Amino acid sequence: MNLKQIDAFRAVMFNGSVTRAAESLNVSQPAVTRLIRDLEYSVGFPLFERSRGSGIVPTPDAEMLLVEVEKTFAGLDLLRRKAADIRDLRGGQLRIACLPALAMGFVPKVIQRFRMDYPETSIQLQVRSSSTVRQWVANRQFEMGLARPAPEVPGVRIEPFCTVNGVCVLPPGHRLSDRDSIAPRDLEGENFISLAMEDMTRQRIDRFFDEAGVSRNEVVETQYAATICGLVLEGIGVSIVSPFVARDFEARGVVVKPFEAELIFDYFLFLPSGRPLSRTAEIFLRKMEEQLAADRYLTQ
């Protein structure tokens, strides 16, 4: 018994004759007749009564067999629909883990861009520290992660995502607000808001100002750049942060200026090693690259 035989059987049952069945299948009448005879031989009982005057008539056994065939074809139809859903990214899910710096504005913009083309795909976005993001991806809890760099992580494939220069964030009406850009010496004596001491970026910024001979008045330290921008908005001080974070606060009044020295913020893509990306994940990555190219903060 094979699928061609079953197709021929269904066609004869629904069309009432071998001739119309052959037309519906776009094959010859002898081919359908042969498939029916082969099926009867396979099942071991006749499926149709044949007479010269009345053509073929289904036997009661054929009617019983058709019931089971239809159950099977219902399952095949379901499989076809599921395959089409997978092909067209309908009803799937994508799990993303992301550090806060990219999760406030950048990744939401990517999700919006993605959903314009694939509105039926469900997206789970979890926001955690870079170390947690890396661990989740290593444990295969998420299909991809965006985080800051780290030494080699077992079970994870690491790819560069983007590198951007830090920007200076100032309170509204600050004395430096009219400058086109901010030089390190401009921040001499300024109240400065820093990242937490354990953050590698904080250490690089501190080392940079020490080497430049610029003294700052460090008034607050905190874990997240978004919190820094919130403090800047309240006039508590100035800082150097990633442009990904700064642009989300500019509309609220934070003044964002290019920083004339190189203070790099680099972000990496973390993927489970030894596991191919789903089509959904591949398309989402392309959307991230498109958003990256379109973002004026990152291309100027």
Side-chain angles (χ1 to χ4, degrees), residues 284-298:
F284 193 86
L285 286 179
R286 288 203 297 271
K287 298 295 184 183
M288 286 202 299
E289 292 167 358
E290 292 171 5
Q291 184 61 40
L292 203 60
D295 198 314
R296 68 181 181 88
Y297 272 96
L298 311 177

Side-chain angles (χ1 to χ4, degrees), residues 263-285:
L263 276 174
I264 295 298
F265 290 77
D266 45 1
Y267 302 96
F268 282 72
L269 183 67
F270 292 80
L271 306 167
S273 60
R275 177 183 179 183
L277 282 178
S278 66
R279 289 181 59 250
T280 304
E282 288 178 349
I283 292 171
F284 193 86
L285 286 179

Side-chain angles (χ1 to χ4, degrees), residues 108-185:
K109 288 180 182 296
V110 177
I111 292 174
Q112 180 189 38
R113 183 183 290 263
F114 178 88
R115 282 186 53 78
M116 288 177 65
D117 294 331
Y118 306 101
E120 297 182 45
T121 299
S122 172
I123 296 177
Q124 179 185 358
L125 174 63
Q126 286 285 343
V127 183
R128 293 293 189 277
S129 66
S130 287
S131 59
T132 301
V133 169
R134 293 190 290 265
Q135 191 59 53
W136 278 352
V137 175
N139 293 341
R140 300 197 172 190
Q141 294 172 259
F142 288 80
E143 291 181 72
M144 68 175 68
L146 286 166
R148 298 299 309 280
E152 184 174 345
V153 181
V156 170
R157 186 169 85 251
I158 305 173
E159 298 179 3
F161 177 61
C162 73
T163 298
V164 294
N165 198 53
V167 295
C168 185
V169 285
L170 309 167
H174 190 273
R175 65 179 182 86
L176 299 173
S177 296
D178 293 334
R179 300 284 183 91
D180 291 333
S181 60
I182 305 298
R185 63 182 178 276

Side-chain angles (χ1 to χ4, degrees), residues 135-283:
Q135 191 59 53
W136 278 352
V137 175
N139 293 341
R140 300 197 172 190
Q141 294 172 259
F142 288 80
E143 291 181 72
M144 68 175 68
L146 286 166
R148 298 299 309 280
E152 184 174 345
V153 181
V156 170
R157 186 169 85 251
I158 305 173
E159 298 179 3
F161 177 61
C162 73
T163 298
V164 294
N165 198 53
V167 295
C168 185
V169 285
L170 309 167
H174 190 273
R175 65 179 182 86
L176 299 173
S177 296
D178 293 334
R179 300 284 183 91
D180 291 333
S181 60
I182 305 298
R185 63 182 178 276
D186 295 330
L187 300 184
E188 177 72 40
E190 286 285 340
N191 289 342
F192 197 89
I193 306 167
S194 295
L195 288 165
M197 186 60 73
E198 65 270 16
D199 193 297
M200 295 297 294
T201 303
R202 157 71 183 274
Q203 297 172 32
R204 288 193 293 109
I205 291 174
D206 285 352
R207 186 166 56 250
F208 169 82
F209 280 106
D210 288 343
E211 292 173 354
V214 175
S215 297
R216 300 157 297 151
N217 181 27
E218 297 189 36
V219 291
V220 180
E221 68 174 50
T222 186
Q223 184 178 7
Y224 295 119
T227 308
I228 288 178
C229 289
L231 293 165
V232 170
L233 186 61
E234 296 300 324
I236 294 171
V238 304
S239 192
I240 306 296
V241 299
S242 164
F244 281 108
V245 182
R247 65 96 174 274
D248 296 321
F249 282 83
E250 190 173 26
R252 297 169 59 183
V254 169
V255 179
V256 181
K257 298 292 181 180
F259 192 58
E260 292 180 6
E262 188 176 86
L263 276 174
I264 295 298
F265 290 77
D266 45 1
Y267 302 96
F268 282 72
L269 183 67
F270 292 80
L271 306 167
S273 60
R275 177 183 179 183
L277 282 178
S278 66
R279 289 181 59 250
T280 304
E282 288 178 349
I283 292 171

